[in-house]
Amino acid sequence: MGGKFDKEFIDKKGKRMDGRAPNELRPLKIEAGVLDEADGSSYLEWGNNKVYCGVFGPIECHPRHKQKPDRAIIQARYNMAPFSVDDRKRPGLDRRSTEIGLLISEALERVVMVEKYPKAAIRVDIQVVEAHAGTRCAALTAASVAVADAGIPMKDLVPSCATGKVDGKVVLDLNKEEDNFGEADLPLAVLPSTEEVVLMQMDGELTPEEFEEAFDMAIEGCKQVYEIQRDALKRKYGGK
Ligand code: CDP
């Protein structure tokens, strides 16, 4: 977070480098049911991020010692392809991917009706094929659509987006430059129905007032993301 950046993030008219207003999301498109071999799937484009998600299950949980007698566990795996970033990423799991997989598993366990499937596992495989900041939010957003597409009962979808601070101002949905060189980054996932927070991290520094502004902005962002998630499912399955 922070570091040298010699341009202004926000111009005199209040527009960001990519022309967005401070509270504007990057363009977001989601499609449900894009993979033939998965039980449920989704594809998401968010700004320049591109993410696939495939869900398998519920299936019997292996290894057995990970089984829970009264519920299913969610095993989310987040992977960034080597060609997803400008500086080729070393293939395979690293600490960051492991951490993001865990965060996504924990967030999904709050909404999926895991108690319906004792001893089972639900596998959620996420492939980020282009990464331009905000990929954990993009991955979680894609994941809950894919779980719904698999027909697994859930209390709600999980919309996620980040807010942060650049040039001393709170903004929604950081782009790559804002994420790399900005002053703070706050990825959040908030359920619109209950305002329950199922993911929250923070990098950088915000005053309590800025935090409140960023948090409220993220709630509004999640509401917009939620509508796009619902549209993706409506396009595939119809309904209201
Ligand atoms: O993607 P997200 O913002 O959730 O996570 P991050 O750790 O804050 O990473 C921000 C961005 O840095 C990613 O979206 C990638 O564009 C980039 N990155 C990279 O170039 N190489 C990595 N090994 C990890 C991240």
Side-chain angles (χ1 to χ4, degrees):
M1 222 12 61
K4 255 178 103 71
F5 194 64
D6 53 10
K7 288 185 228 152
E8 281 190 341
F9 285 110
I10 300 181
D11 70 14
K12 294 189 180 60
K13 291 184 179 153
K15 294 273 183 208
R16 290 150 77 180
M17 293 174 74
D18 51 17
R20 282 185 292 155
N23 63 349
E24 192 177 337
L25 291 173
R26 290 175 286 181
L28 171 60
K29 286 194 288 189
I30 309 177
E31 210 178 320
V34 293
L35 303 172
D36 283 346
E37 305 301 337
D39 296 324
S41 60
S42 63
Y43 173 66
L44 170 154
E45 286 184 8
W46 191 338
N48 294 327
N49 290 319
K50 296 194 171 98
V51 178
Y52 280 96
C53 179
V55 170
F56 294 86
I59 46 179
E60 195 180 340
C61 179
H62 286 290
R64 280 212 168 163
H65 68 84
K66 290 203 171 157
Q67 286 182 356
K68 301 275 179 216
D70 54 344
R71 65 174 180 92
I73 61 162
I74 308 238
Q75 296 177 314
R77 291 189 189 85
Y78 164 104
N79 184 52
M80 264 184 16
F83 47 77
S84 64
V85 286
D86 49 9
D87 195 19
R88 180 181 182 272
K89 185 200 166 281
R90 212 171 149 203
L93 274 184
D94 51 28
R95 281 178 57 183
R96 176 178 170 277
S97 319
T98 307
E99 176 207 322
I100 297 176
L102 276 174
L103 289 170
I104 293 175
S105 302
E106 283 174 10
L108 291 174
E109 282 184 5
R110 304 274 288 273
V111 294
V112 173
M113 296 193 177
V114 286
E115 62 283 356
K116 284 188 181 284
Y117 307 104
K119 300 186 185 169
I122 297 166
R123 301 232 157 98
V124 179
D125 292 300
I126 298 148
Q127 297 292 338
V128 177
V129 294
E130 286 197 19
H132 292 261
T135 60
R136 72 198 60 211
C137 299
L140 178 55
T141 297
S144 68
V145 172
V147 174
D149 182 52
I152 298 170
M154 304 162 86
K155 288 182 231 147
D156 217 338
L157 292 164
V158 186
S160 177
C161 70
T163 49
K165 184 165 82 161
V166 293
D167 288 348
K169 290 204 174 65
V170 170
V171 294
L172 184 66
D173 185 25
L174 304 179
N175 66 26
K176 187 84 187 280
E177 288 78 19
E178 292 169 339
D179 185 306
N180 287 4
F181 303 105
E183 293 143 60
D185 177 15
L186 180 69
L188 274 158
V190 185
L191 309 182
S193 51
T194 56
E195 299 206 342
E196 188 184 346
V197 176
V198 296
L199 173 117
M200 179 161 81
Q201 293 187 292
M202 188 164 134
D203 192 6
E205 281 177 28
L206 293 172
T207 64
E209 294 75 30
E210 286 166 348
F211 178 84
E212 210 158 300
E213 190 186 345
F215 189 81
D216 290 347
M217 200 183 264
I219 291 181
E220 291 309 310
C222 284
K223 285 182 187 161
Q224 293 176 44
V225 172
Y226 186 65
E227 289 308 318
I228 297 166
Q229 290 178 304
R230 281 170 49 111
D231 270 358
L233 291 165
K234 273 193 249 170
R235 279 200 311 280
K236 173 114 197 272
Y237 295 104
K240 290 186 205 149

